[in-house]
Amino acid sequence: MQFPPARPYSRLTIILLYGALGGLLIAALQLIEYRWLVLEHSIQIYGGLVAALFAAFGIWLGRRVTGTRERVVVQEVLVPAPSDFTRDERKVAALGLTPRELEILELIASGLSNKEIGERVHVSENTVKTHSSRVFAKLGAQRRTQAVQLGKELRLIP
Amino acid sequence: MQFPPARPYSRLTIILLYGALGGLLIAALQLIEYRWLVLEHSIQIYGGLVAALFAAFGIWLGRRVTGTRERVVVQEVLVPAPSDFTRDERKVAALGLTPRELEILELIASGLSNKEIGERVHVSENTVKTHSSRVFAKLGAQRRTQAVQLGKELRLIP
DNA sequence: GCGGAAATCATCCTTTCGGGTGACGCGCGC
DNA sequence: GCGCGCGTCACCCGAAAGGATGATTTCCGC
């Protein structure tokens, strides 16, 4: 699962908190002066303190409100699977290819002629031609090389 | 042309500027008090002013300094590892296949007829037949499907 | 410049392929 | 039983592919 970047406090809450902290700080500084920091240049000292503290606070607030930008880097990882062939049975069914037709297509892809295929599977060359014609029609191919190319693209044959 | 994200001032410059501005502000506030702001709660007033000003400055500084902050999210996407084909030039040389012949073999593998190949590469069908015949002879193939199969096995074509 | 590799084109001929059509048998489900 | 999908086989015809041979041009290296 994916979570969005966390932003636990709303901007309004932060601003209110900021105001309260500012008031407390001013009061504390005043208290400090009245109690034991009655120096000649105390105004510069706690002026600088206020400046530094609120600048730091502002930096923190600025970072927080700004939020983190995300840059999505798409990294292509090569799946090490060129060898494992699994037939796309959905496409086979969608095209209406029969097992015999797939078998003939595979033998065509292996570079055999119709006659050789016929001898291989013990049917006549004419039968092979019928099968191949049906395969071509179902694949929309005009040539056996085209049928082979389509068959490989569609993951019908290895 | 591509320009990198602008960051016109160095961080050190900003900090020095910040210090100078702080000193000037303190001096200005002191001047103001001595001149015409001799009020009872002037300490709260300009304390708040310093706080607000430096908080705003801090916010601006924080955003500016950390503006380029970004989190790089690596999103891995699976790619079917297709483009890792490198032609086996040693086999090409061993078989004596010319660049043109390889080109024709690739086009044959893509399922085109001789006529279509001729139109594609702007030569006559007869020329394509000559090239393909030489390819078949060099590969020992009797059919184009066989030549394609051999070409893929020998890593001559993708 | 000359020889050779490469690319181009052509012609003739044979083989293979592809499209179309028709037919037969077998198994399976309604 | 009847229809239907599937596998099988045959015939015809045109298109594509393949084999053999010859020729020309261009370019590159010796």
Side-chain angles (χ1 to χ4, degrees):
Chain A
M1 287 185 59
Q2 284 267 7
F3 291 95
R7 214 175 79 182
Y9 305 112
S10 75
R11 199 166 296 202
L12 181 59
T13 306
I14 289 170
I15 290 173
L16 290 178
L17 196 64
Y18 162 98
L21 280 174
L24 282 175
L25 189 58
I26 297 297
L29 286 172
Q30 259 192 294
L31 199 63
I32 285 169
E33 184 187 26
Y34 284 140
R35 284 283 164 83
W36 20 274
L37 248 191
V38 202
L39 296 173
E40 176 72 19
H41 294 90
S42 63
I43 177 66
Q44 284 95 332
I45 291 175
Y46 77 65
L49 276 176
V50 167
L53 278 171
F54 272 82
F57 179 72
I59 288 175
W60 172 82
L61 188 69
R63 291 181 60 112
R64 168 163 257 305
V65 170
T66 298
T68 50
R69 271 193 288 269
E70 283 193 0
R71 187 158 56 103
V72 175
V73 174
V74 175
Q75 176 178 346
E76 293 188 345
V77 57
L78 295 181
V79 55
S83 56
D84 62 334
F85 168 75
T86 50
R87 173 163 293 142
D88 193 337
E89 299 291 351
R90 292 200 312 270
K91 289 207 190 78
V92 171
L95 292 168
L97 287 168
T98 70
R100 197 58 154 170
E101 287 164 357
L102 272 179
E103 185 185 0
I104 300 298
L105 180 57
E106 279 190 44
L107 293 171
I108 288 176
S110 73
L112 299 175
S113 69
N114 288 338
K115 178 179 298 211
E116 288 169 340
I117 294 173
E119 292 167 357
R120 178 79 68 93
V121 296
H122 307 107
V123 296
S124 80
E125 182 186 349
N126 285 316
T127 303
V128 176
K129 288 181 66 178
T130 303
H131 285 312
S132 61
S133 286
R134 296 213 179 112
V135 170
F136 300 159
K138 289 172 181 177
L139 289 180
Q142 278 74 49
R143 285 165 291 284
R144 42 176 56 212
T145 50
Q146 196 179 357
V148 168
Q149 162 72 2
L150 289 170
K152 287 181 183 291
E153 270 184 11
L154 299 174
R155 303 190 60 80
L156 309 175
I157 54 176
Chain B
M1 283 185 59
Q2 285 268 10
F3 291 96
R7 212 177 82 181
Y9 304 114
S10 73
R11 196 167 298 201
L12 182 59
T13 304
I14 289 171
I15 289 174
L16 290 176
L17 195 65
Y18 165 98
L21 280 175
L24 282 177
L25 189 57
I26 297 298
L29 288 173
Q30 259 191 296
L31 198 64
I32 286 167
E33 181 184 29
Y34 285 140
R35 284 284 165 78
W36 23 275
L37 248 190
V38 201
L39 295 174
E40 176 73 17
H41 294 90
S42 63
I43 178 69
Q44 284 96 330
I45 292 175
Y46 75 66
L49 274 175
V50 167
L53 277 171
F54 273 82
F57 178 71
I59 288 174
W60 172 82
L61 188 68
R63 293 183 64 112
R64 162 165 259 301
V65 169
T66 67
T68 58
R69 182 170 42 124
E70 61 185 7
R71 189 149 53 99
V72 173
V73 177
V74 175
Q75 181 178 358
E76 292 187 344
V77 65
L78 292 182
V79 81
S83 57
D84 60 344
F85 169 74
T86 50
R87 171 161 295 143
D88 192 337
E89 300 291 353
R90 292 199 311 271
K91 291 208 189 75
V92 171
L95 293 168
L97 287 167
T98 69
R100 198 57 154 173
E101 287 165 356
L102 271 179
E103 185 183 4
I104 300 298
L105 180 56
E106 278 190 45
L107 293 171
I108 287 176
S110 72
L112 299 175
S113 69
N114 288 338
K115 178 179 300 215
E116 288 169 339
I117 293 172
E119 291 166 357
R120 179 79 69 91
V121 297
H122 307 108
V123 297
S124 77
E125 182 188 349
N126 287 316
T127 303
V128 176
K129 289 180 67 174
T130 302
H131 284 311
S132 60
S133 286
R134 297 216 176 106
V135 169
F136 300 158
K138 288 172 180 176
L139 289 180
Q142 278 74 49
R143 284 163 292 283
R144 41 177 54 213
T145 50
Q146 195 179 357
V148 168
Q149 162 71 4
L150 288 169
K152 287 181 183 292
E153 270 185 11
L154 298 174
R155 303 190 61 78
L156 309 175
I157 53 176

